[in-house]
């Protein structure tokens, strides 16, 4: 499904996000007040325009309310970030995602209507720490405060056994939702599926249980 995104602020984070969305087949318009950044973005994104997101008339002129999701990726100008979110919600944008540089900034963004506030530097720091502390974890998605989905390497002692043999639900209170064999992914694998050397399990469960399993060697 192709959606239309607008990314306001074409710095390192905003541009990286916009390019990833384009690579995923989505339509993306980049917005920035910096003409040089917009010129660079025009060859990479679906559209790129020079506009001031703190100006209501400028937002109307680029048809901002027609986008499914707008990401406010403005850097250190907290005032511009907050005002942009406020104006976007007043324009009727259904989903506004905003980058915050600290907790107070994030709290204000939520109060003025941001549907989702992200903290790129904090979140990346937490991800790196989690993966350092759990050496078998390759990647993870946080579902809530207590639950995650994680990709985990299998300890050597568990290879050439079936999911039924491993019985992770009984032993660790975890559910295996997929097995990755190289580039191939087996969704909802059978209990009789054998785990081969180099396989990666995609597991869902409580963080405390995932941590116990992830620390096995």
């Amino acid at each position: 499904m192709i959606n239309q995104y607008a990314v306001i602020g074409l710095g390192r984070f905003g541009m990286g996000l916009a390019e990833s969305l384009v690579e995923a087949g989505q339509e993306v318009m980049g917005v920035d007040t910096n003409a040089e950044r917009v010129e660079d973005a025009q060859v990479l994104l679906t559209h790129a325009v020079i506009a001031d997101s703190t100006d209501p008339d400028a937002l109307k002129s680029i048809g901002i309310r027609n986008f499914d999701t707008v990401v406010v990726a403005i850097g250190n100008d907290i005032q511009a970030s907050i005002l942009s979110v406020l104006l976007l919600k007043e324009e009727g944008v259904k989903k506004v995602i905003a980058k915050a540089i600290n907790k107070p900034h994030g709290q204000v963004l939520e109060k003025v209507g941001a549907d989702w506030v992200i903290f790129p530097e904090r979140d990346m720091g937490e991800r790196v720490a989690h993966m350092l502390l759990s050496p078998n974890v390759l990647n993870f998605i946080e579902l809530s405060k207590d639950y995650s989905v994680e990709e985990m390497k299998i300890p050597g002692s568990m290879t050439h056994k079936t999911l039924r043999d491993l019985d992770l639900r009984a032993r660790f209170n975890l559910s295996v939702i997929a097995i990755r064999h190289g580039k191939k992914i087996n969704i909802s694998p059978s209990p009789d599926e054998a785990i081969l050397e180099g396989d990666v399990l995609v597991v869902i469960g409580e963080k405390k249980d995932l941590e116990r399993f992830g620390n096995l060697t």
Side-chain angles (χ1 to χ4, degrees), residues 75-76 78 82 99-109 117-122:
N76 294 326
I78 294 178
I82 294 168
K99 168 188 171 183
I101 61 173
N102 53 42
K103 186 175 180 180
H105 181 200
Q107 290 173 331
V108 176
L109 290 171
V117 176
I118 54 178
F119 299 82
E121 292 185 359
R122 184 200 69 183

Side-chain angles (χ1 to χ4, degrees), residues 1-101:
M1 182 177 178
I2 298 178
N3 292 310
Q4 292 185 316
Y5 295 85
V7 177
I8 298 174
L10 299 177
R12 185 179 302 171
F13 171 75
M15 199 59 209
L17 172 64
E19 287 186 70
S20 295
L21 289 170
V22 169
E23 289 172 3
Q26 305 301 303
E27 295 184 0
V28 182
M29 179 176 73
V31 181
D32 204 294
T33 55
N34 184 300
E36 187 175 339
R37 285 181 178 176
V38 170
E39 185 177 350
D40 291 340
Q42 284 175 341
V43 297
L44 299 170
L45 309 183
T46 314
H47 305 287
V49 297
I50 300 173
D52 181 357
S53 59
T54 65
D55 181 348
D57 293 331
L59 292 176
K60 287 184 174 69
S61 70
I62 61 176
I64 201 69
R65 67 182 304 170
N66 297 323
F67 288 85
D68 301 301
T69 302
V70 178
V71 181
V72 178
I74 295 172
N76 294 326
D77 191 337
I78 294 178
Q79 183 175 341
S81 166
I82 294 168
L83 182 55
S84 296
V85 170
L86 179 63
L87 292 176
L88 289 168
K89 297 309 289 186
E90 288 182 349
E91 279 296 308
V93 176
K94 293 180 181 178
K95 187 172 184 179
V96 176
I97 300 171
K99 168 188 171 183
I101 61 173

